[in-house]
Amino acid sequence: MARILLITDNFLPHLGGSRIIFYNICRRLPAGEVFVLTKFIRGSGGFDRRQKFKIFRVFLFKLPQKIFGFLSEIPLYISLLVSAIFAVLVNKIKIIFAGETLPCGFIAFLLKKALGIPYIVFTFAEDITIVSKLNRERVIQRMVLREADVIIATCSFIEEFLENKVGVDPKKIIKVYPAVDDEIIDFKINMSKLNEIKNKKGLEDKKVIFSCARLIERKGIDNVIRALRRVVENIPRVVYLIGGDGE
């Protein structure tokens, strides 16, 4: 198997949906064939030592944007690029996985131009939609996406966006929905426990909508709440449950 370097802005134990996806990919690949380059976070040493794959962590910092403007991110890119070159050469990396289009995708783009290493970019709605609103970053993002050898789209929205808005060759796009880890979640329904919860929450004979997520604006929980007025007109016994913590 060709050795892989995953370059990502964040990785476990820093929590987040994409971090869990990357972790599960890495832990299921053969030991010694995948390496991770990511940002240093305090307290990550114990987690890193428990993994069967090697994790390289680097200090990533920015200069004050009010003073340096768009130049504020130059130290971040330099640090990430130098560390990536070192990891590639020492570990004989043959494929780059970029966890985000920026900055990691741009680093992968530079490595491809300099060393001829192909790269795969993972795309998420947050990453694509936020950067697409920024003029300078949007230009770089599109270059990264068009030069990628493969693009992983995590939903149909991203797949259509890449084709119609960015002009990416559809043959490069592979749609892979985020999966649920059956080692963590037991899919066998405990009916007695379910009925207990229903009785406790007063949900007998109710139609339940359930959202479980980080409670931040871009998750769209507020949109569901606003839409409930129309839902209730057709389904009077609907109940909306929300689970999660905010930032």
Side-chain angles (χ1 to χ4, degrees), residues 187-199:
F187 289 94
K188 295 179 181 179
I189 299 176
N190 185 327
M191 293 306 299
S192 61
K193 183 67 174 179
L194 180 61
N195 290 329
E196 179 185 336
I197 294 173
K198 284 184 176 181
N199 293 331

Side-chain angles (χ1 to χ4, degrees), residues 11-12 35-38 47-48 51 53-57:
F11 196 73
L12 292 182
F35 303 81
V36 177
L37 176 61
T38 188
F47 171 84
D48 294 354
Q51 308 312 314
F53 51 88
K54 181 68 175 178
I55 302 176
F56 303 103
R57 294 194 183 265

